Amino acid sequence: MKFAYKFSNLLGAVYRQGNLNFSSDGNAVISPVGNRLSIFDLKNNTSETLPISTTKNITCVGLSPDGHLAILVDEDGAALLVSLITRAVLHHFHFHKPVNSIRFSPDGRKFVVTKENVALLYHAPGKRREFNAFVLDKSYYGPYDETTCIDWTDDSKCFAVGSKDMSTWIFGAERWVNLIYYSLGGHKDVVVGCFFEKDSLDLYTVSQDGALCVWECDTEPEGLCVKKSREKPKMPTEEDEEEDENRVEGEEGEVIRGKAGPLKEKEKKKNVRYKQTSKHFFNKEGDFNNLTAAAFHKSTHILVTGFASGIFHLHELPEFNLIHSLSISDRRISSVAVNCSGDWISFGCSGMGQLLVWEWQSESYVFKQQGHFNNMASLAYSPDGQYVATGGDDGKVKVWNTNSCLCFVTFTEHTSSITNVTFTSSGFVVVSASLDGTVRAYDLHRYRNFRTFTSPRPAQFSSLAVDGSGELVSAGAQDSFEIFLWSMQTGRLLEVLGGHEGPVSSLCFSPVQSVLASASWDRTVKLWDMKDSWQVKESLPQCADALCVSYRPDGQQLAVATLNGEISFWDPNTASQTNSVSGRHDLATGRKETDKITAKHSAKGKSFTSLCYSADGESVLAGGQSKFVCIYSVKEQMLIKKFEISCNLSFDGMEEFLDRRKMTEFGSLALVDEGAGDEEGINISLPGVRKGDMSSRHFKPEIRVSSLRFSPTGRSWAATSTEGLLIYSLDSSMVFDPYDLDLDVTPASIRKQLQLEAWASAIILAFRLNEKPLTLKVLESVPHAQIPVVCGSLPDIYVEKLLGFLATCLEKSGHLQFYLTWAQNLLMLNGQKLKNRSGAIMPTLQALQKSIQKHYDDLSKLCDFNMYTIRYAVALSKQRGMKRAAEESNEGSSDEEEQEEEVMSEASLEGADMIM
């Protein structure tokens, strides 16, 4: 149960592709990130990634009107029905072809899916349990090219579908007598959006060349008549079955085929007709800017349009009055969504990975986040575990809050890829090394780059380490084979350490001694004495090129990962190897599409590139150019657990065997470069590109883990991968893990001890049963006055357990003083015993510090904002009980007023002292 880590959150990526949605209350944005779904709460400023994933990248998301269900469809057409309440997958379905868009009806009873040139109308999953959640109702044929967008009328009677053949089709959700289908032209380019007016059949259509057509209908929605004698549905032909393979799972639906000509009028009922009342153009004369995304808010009549240049316009319809326009990005806007109130507009830019929420009335950003444009290279936890710093190939250093999972500062001073980042021991300075030949230090108080360290000759820094005091900064060069040492205080170069005969791949300072360990491709790990001589203290020979080195938290062991896939453990005091682990087979790499050899043979060249000890030093986390992260026990020299960080087949190197359907007599289809279009023309990818370049060329990224770190609290670990920054944490609420269980340890016996007011024995029994809700109840039942007595009578082992429990409870609880009293008494009464076991208990203390620091930050801001309100409240509390007699004269009342003013001034002074 100690290693029951589960996927917790995804940081570093906020939007990749697909359509954005707002939640039903309009306070959260639902964004597809690769093959996962993230929910960004704009009110509480937090983000959450659902613990579900599709097999490939998500292309479209359909959200039910009540916000309880979502349908996720990936690149191949595989769909998941997901409950947003329980965060669980309810149903799997496959449309067999790529799906362009999906949309629920406003009443929530049906939804439309468009694939190729067909619109499929399904019955929406009901609240009753069904064997097949997707039941096909009707299939609509009409457009001659791929469909692009869907919109429903407010009464769910009709829906419109836009197409790449420059036409828009209106279909009836039921068999109306006067509206079965209707085709609209009027455009010279691909239709990007079609929108019904509120409570009307009037329509707006927007095309890619920046044209808006306004269509007026001669019939109101109430004028639609249901066909009384329903004809027997036509049996589908073989062609229909080929085009509509998904009927295998669903009920066979009715097929409606639209034609471009006018409908014949039957039963003396006049058919619905449309006429174009006006046509407007977004682009000015001589300005050609493709319109890429559009959204319409029916209540406020606001049309939002996004363009390929990163500009968006707000227009009021039907007059087409421009409200305002703004440039928000350098790349094309891929998706636009408006919330239910019409105040907030969300924009997604897939080229830069940006997600923005704009409040158009106040003209301000509600939310503005961007992930690393290219791969993440490294990460580092702050000493209290509250922040995570990441460095990417885009030259940016970002700092993330682990509680809100959002980035709060980005440093852009580097001009080339970041190779390593680390925190100093204070936790308020981030240091980064880059291939641009500089090492930079950033201040997290003022958010500025206050030190820049350079070498006498330009060198590309590939490794970085800062000593425990935060005074020494060291960086290893990959071209001159030297290690540079600087002083943080002065910024001066102290020493250049030479001795390695290959690039320096990794550096690590000892936590307890002033010793620097350096790993190099020359098959050695050198230990440098930092006290006085700056000389090599020991040289540890390796059997292959050393790629990564890491000290155990107590400084008594050294782990080295080498090119042959082994992890060797060394005693730095005796310079002897204690044991080793062979992990090449555990990496289990996949076969890339362009590989000529099998995955089994390619695995022989793979190795671990990142190492990290757990907080207690008993296990090692290792990862490399593979989708697996392994945890090894140092003592047992064996694999404990293997985590698969991604199941996304949109990445290269995921599958062990190649798909034979992609193999031809001339080789793999992946080698045939057909060009990948992104609605901006054909893009040809460059040969030999491994990580992908900074231009808009298409590439298939390869799965890899570039950096791993355990949180100082020991309750989570993070990995930077091709997907982003993945956080895995212990989910203690779902695990039953009793300690020292016996027959008499039952919930009934614990409650009996509570009735007898035997608080200490009740706490011990609760921890032996180890059920969180019961332990919480026992803890909160203890009277405030009895806390010091209970803390003094607990056995040592339960003191540590109680401290760990307090750290987890304090993070989310509102009983701040109560839990702080517990923590204070436990530390005061058992301080000496805890100090003797400081190494083992350090992760628990850091978790406690993180929780207290979080509350301190929140409360200190609140108190600073409300200082005068607090003073006023204190003054009022002093006056409680003082009554003014009605019979007193005016002189007496004036005396009282003077007295009250004195009380107020005294109270304000006391309040100020209290806050200070």
Side-chain angles (χ1 to χ4, degrees):
M1 299 303 177
K2 184 182 175 183
F3 299 100
Y5 292 97
K6 291 185 179 178
F7 173 76
S8 169
N9 218 329
L10 173 66
L11 284 69
V14 288
Y15 174 76
R16 290 271 166 80
Q17 64 178 24
N19 61 308
L20 296 169
N21 287 276
F22 272 98
S23 60
S24 53
D25 60 358
N27 294 333
V29 177
I30 297 167
S31 167
V33 183
N35 68 332
R36 299 183 186 272
L37 195 69
S38 291
I39 299 173
F40 298 94
D41 189 339
L42 305 175
K43 287 283 186 186
N44 301 316
N45 205 37
T46 58
S47 86
E48 178 194 9
T49 305
L50 303 190
I52 53 171
S53 56
T54 55
T55 50
K56 286 201 172 180
N57 286 338
I58 296 169
T59 53
C60 50
V61 178
L63 198 65
S64 65
D66 58 5
H68 295 169
L69 294 175
I71 298 174
L72 319 179
V73 188
D74 69 12
E75 291 169 344
D76 286 345
L80 294 180
L81 176 65
V82 176
S83 167
L84 295 180
I85 299 169
T86 61
R87 311 297 201 240
V89 176
L90 304 178
H91 187 66
H92 291 262
F93 191 78
H94 211 298
F95 291 107
H96 298 290
K97 295 283 174 65
V99 171
N100 301 312
S101 51
I102 184 166
R103 193 77 178 268
F104 274 86
S105 63
D107 62 4
R109 292 184 176 184
K110 294 184 178 181
F111 66 89
V112 174
V113 173
T114 61
K115 63 173 190 179
E116 295 181 326
N117 64 334
V118 193
L120 305 169
L121 182 66
Y122 284 88
H123 291 288
K127 292 182 180 177
R128 62 185 188 277
R129 292 182 180 178
E130 295 162 324
F131 176 71
N132 179 22
F134 289 23
V135 180
L136 182 65
D137 184 26
K138 294 182 181 70
S139 302
Y140 297 88
Y141 293 87
Y144 293 97
D145 204 344
E146 284 187 17
T147 48
T148 54
C149 54
I150 307 167
D151 193 48
W152 283 86
T153 54
D154 284 341
D155 53 8
S156 304
K157 289 183 177 180
C158 303
F159 64 91
V161 174
S163 170
K164 285 186 178 177
D165 67 357
M166 301 174 283
S167 66
T168 307
W169 291 74
I170 295 110
F171 294 110
E174 302 293 334
R175 283 304 287 256
W176 308 114
V177 176
N178 49 347
L179 178 61
I180 300 172
Y181 60 86
Y182 200 98
S183 174
L184 302 172
H187 286 289
K188 296 179 181 178
D189 208 340
V190 175
V191 176
V192 174
C194 52
F195 311 103
F196 280 105
E197 186 60 87
K198 189 179 181 184
D199 299 326
S200 170
L201 289 175
D202 294 352
L203 193 70
Y204 303 105
T205 55
V206 184
S207 63
Q208 190 173 297
D209 60 353
L212 167 75
C213 290
V214 182
W215 304 89
E216 188 182 321
C217 184
D218 63 354
T219 311
E220 292 297 315
E222 294 79 21
L224 296 174
C225 304
V226 181
K227 202 168 188 178
K228 292 176 184 176
S229 57
R230 186 158 179 159
E231 294 175 8
K232 189 179 178 182
K234 187 183 85 173
M235 290 299 291
T237 61
E238 288 180 11
E239 288 179 9
D240 297 341
E241 285 178 1
E242 283 175 16
E243 290 173 348
D244 198 14
E245 293 169 0
N246 62 319
R247 287 195 202 139
V248 175
E249 190 167 342
E251 197 179 284
E252 282 201 359
E254 189 179 351
V255 177
I256 295 167
R257 292 188 177 276
K259 295 176 184 175
L263 271 171
K264 294 177 183 177
E265 294 185 6
K266 295 179 182 177
E267 301 177 16
K268 298 178 182 178
K269 188 74 184 175
K270 189 181 177 186
N271 284 343
V272 171
R273 293 193 181 280
Y274 279 87
K275 68 174 181 180
Q276 184 179 319
T277 56
S278 59
K279 190 170 184 179
H280 307 280
F281 297 94
F282 292 94
N283 292 331
K284 295 172 185 174
E285 194 174 345
D287 179 25
F288 297 102
N289 194 358
N290 275 353
L291 192 148
T292 54
F296 179 63
H297 191 256
K298 297 183 181 181
S299 301
T300 54
H301 305 282
I302 298 290
L303 176 70
V304 189
T305 47
F307 292 85
S309 61
I311 295 173
F312 79 90
H313 293 320
L314 252 71
H315 285 87
E316 188 179 11
L317 297 182
E319 292 83 13
F320 199 67
N321 297 328
L322 180 67
I323 297 171
H324 75 237
S325 64
L326 185 72
S327 177
I328 56 169
S329 178
D330 300 331
R331 298 296 187 92
R332 64 191 293 270
I333 296 172
S334 310
S335 179
V336 178
V338 187
N339 76 338
C340 53
S341 63
D343 298 330
W344 292 347
I345 306 163
S346 66
F347 301 96
C349 305
S350 59
M352 298 289 285
Q354 289 175 309
L355 178 62
L356 313 163
V357 179
W358 174 261
E359 187 173 39
W360 65 272
Q361 287 172 331
S362 65
E363 298 191 9
S364 60
Y365 285 110
V366 177
F367 184 85
K368 191 177 182 182
Q369 288 282 306
Q370 180 181 351
H372 284 283
F373 172 65
N374 230 352
N375 293 338
M376 280 189 185
S378 64
L379 83 138
Y381 268 102
S382 62
D384 60 357
Q386 200 164 359
Y387 305 123
V388 175
T390 57
D393 288 350
D394 56 357
K396 292 178 181 176
V397 177
K398 288 179 175 283
V399 187
W400 308 79
N401 188 318
T402 54
N403 296 315
S404 67
C405 299
L406 297 174
C407 172
F408 63 91
V409 63
T410 303
F411 300 107
T412 57
E413 280 80 6
H414 282 294
T415 56
S416 186
S417 299
I418 310 291
T419 53
N420 220 316
V421 290
T422 186
F423 275 90
T424 59
S425 54
S426 67
F428 296 111
V429 176
V430 178
V431 187
S432 62
S434 171
L435 295 179
D436 64 1
T438 61
V439 173
R440 296 177 185 269
Y442 306 97
D443 180 5
L444 288 187
H445 283 304
R446 296 178 182 85
Y447 301 139
R448 64 190 179 95
N449 173 209
F450 70 94
R451 285 275 184 277
T452 302
F453 309 103
T454 55
S455 55
R457 293 184 304 277
Q460 291 189 314
F461 297 120
S462 58
S463 51
L464 175 72
V466 179
D467 77 328
S469 65
E471 169 57 22
L472 283 178
V473 179
S474 67
Q478 67 179 19
D479 42 10
S480 64
F481 314 155
E482 293 170 328
I483 300 167
F484 298 87
L485 280 169
W486 296 275
S487 165
M488 181 71 86
Q489 289 283 339
T490 62
R492 291 184 178 179
L493 181 68
L494 299 176
E495 189 70 34
V496 179
L497 307 178
H500 279 298
E501 297 169 6
V504 180
S505 54
S506 181
L507 293 173
C508 186
F509 272 100
S510 168
V512 291
Q513 295 174 309
S514 54
V515 174
L516 174 68
S518 63
S520 170
W521 291 9
D522 62 3
R523 301 192 174 195
T524 61
V525 170
K526 295 187 186 296
L527 304 181
W528 305 81
D529 187 8
M530 294 285 113
K531 275 185 183 173
D532 45 8
S533 60
W534 313 97
Q535 296 299 316
V536 176
K537 187 179 170 186
E538 295 288 352
S539 185
L540 314 177
Q542 305 295 319
C543 53
D545 297 11
L547 302 179
C548 186
V549 62
S550 179
Y551 264 103
R552 201 165 70 182
D554 63 358
Q556 300 305 310
Q557 196 179 59
L558 200 65
V560 182
T562 49
L563 193 62
N564 59 356
E566 282 194 4
I567 302 170
S568 54
F569 300 98
W570 298 75
D571 186 343
N573 300 319
T574 61
S576 59
Q577 184 175 343
T578 54
N579 48 31
S580 68
V581 172
S582 180
R584 178 175 286 168
H585 299 294
D586 301 325
L587 271 170
T589 55
R591 183 175 177 178
K592 292 193 289 182
E593 287 184 342
T594 53
D595 277 355
K596 303 285 187 186
I597 57 172
T598 62
K600 190 175 180 181
H601 285 293
S602 67
K604 292 178 182 177
K606 298 292 189 290
S607 54
F608 293 115
T609 55
S610 182
L611 271 184
C612 176
Y613 272 97
S614 62
D616 57 6
E618 292 178 5
S619 52
V620 163
L621 200 62
Q625 200 169 339
S626 163
K627 62 179 176 179
F628 290 108
V629 169
C630 306
I631 291 187
Y632 291 97
S633 169
V634 177
K635 192 177 178 182
E636 307 290 339
Q637 303 176 37
M638 61 182 284
L639 178 72
I640 298 173
K641 195 163 184 180
K642 204 155 73 163
F643 297 94
E644 187 178 5
I645 58 162
S646 178
C647 60
N648 190 357
L649 298 180
S650 296
F651 293 133
D652 210 357
M654 288 294 296
E655 296 182 273
E656 191 177 348
F657 302 103
L658 286 187
D659 192 346
R660 291 294 173 195
R661 289 172 293 184
K662 294 181 182 175
M663 298 300 288
T664 65
E665 57 182 314
F666 306 108
S668 172
L669 281 175
L671 297 169
V672 182
D673 194 355
E674 296 173 355
D678 196 18
E679 278 96 31
E680 295 175 355
I682 298 295
N683 299 321
I684 305 298
S685 57
L686 284 178
V689 174
R690 289 180 64 85
K691 289 186 179 180
D693 51 13
M694 303 292 276
S695 71
S696 59
R697 294 184 182 92
H698 176 80
F699 67 96
K700 192 169 183 180
E702 186 184 343
I703 189 72
R704 65 173 69 209
V705 177
S706 53
S707 183
L708 289 164
R709 288 291 179 273
F710 249 104
S711 167
T713 62
R715 296 199 57 80
S716 61
W717 56 269
T720 53
S721 71
T722 318
E723 273 193 312
L725 176 61
L726 298 157
I727 307 281
Y728 282 76
S729 60
L730 287 172
D731 187 13
S732 56
S733 60
M734 301 300 289
V735 178
F736 176 63
D737 184 18
Y739 173 79
D740 195 16
L741 195 61
D742 207 344
L743 287 173
D744 58 346
V745 182
T746 61
S749 62
I750 294 168
R751 292 189 184 96
K752 190 178 179 182
Q753 293 295 325
L754 282 179
Q755 289 172 0
L756 296 171
E757 297 185 358
W759 312 116
S761 59
I763 288 173
I764 291 168
L765 286 173
F767 275 113
R768 285 174 68 183
L769 191 63
N770 208 3
E771 277 195 12
K772 189 177 177 181
L774 194 60
T775 313
L776 198 64
K777 183 186 175 184
V778 170
L779 211 61
E780 292 183 356
S781 302
V782 179
H784 193 267
Q786 293 291 319
I787 291 175
V789 182
V790 176
C791 290
S793 60
L794 280 177
D796 295 350
I797 194 161
Y798 292 103
V799 169
E800 293 177 25
K801 285 183 174 293
L802 185 52
L803 269 176
F805 187 78
L806 287 174
T808 54
C809 289
L810 192 59
E811 197 168 354
K812 294 179 181 176
S813 176
H815 306 304
L816 195 55
Q817 187 184 357
F818 182 74
Y819 283 115
L820 285 176
T821 309
W822 271 106
Q824 185 184 13
N825 282 290
L826 279 172
L827 294 171
M828 290 289 286
L829 296 168
N830 302 279
Q832 193 58 45
K833 296 173 189 172
L834 294 173
K835 193 176 180 181
N836 296 336
R837 300 190 67 250
S838 59
I841 204 168
M842 192 55 73
T844 307
L845 294 175
Q846 281 170 334
L848 189 65
Q849 184 192 356
K850 178 187 172 185
S851 302
I852 295 169
Q853 185 68 35
K854 178 178 175 284
H855 282 293
Y856 173 76
D857 291 344
D858 293 344
L859 284 172
S860 59
K861 287 176 187 173
L862 198 66
C863 292
D864 287 344
F865 291 147
N866 298 309
M867 187 181 289
Y868 294 103
T869 315
I870 292 169
R871 287 182 187 176
Y872 180 66
V874 170
L876 281 183
S877 67
K878 293 276 177 98
Q879 288 187 57
R880 189 175 292 171
M882 295 168 64
K883 291 183 180 179
R884 188 178 298 164
E887 297 82 20
E888 286 181 357
S889 62
N890 291 334
E891 292 174 8
S893 64
S894 64
D895 292 341
E896 274 194 9
E897 281 173 12
E898 287 173 14
Q899 192 178 347
E900 279 178 20
E901 284 177 13
E902 287 174 14
V903 170
M904 285 284 281
S905 62
E906 284 175 18
S908 64
L909 286 169
E910 285 177 15
D913 292 341
M914 183 179 74
I915 288 161
M916 293 299 285

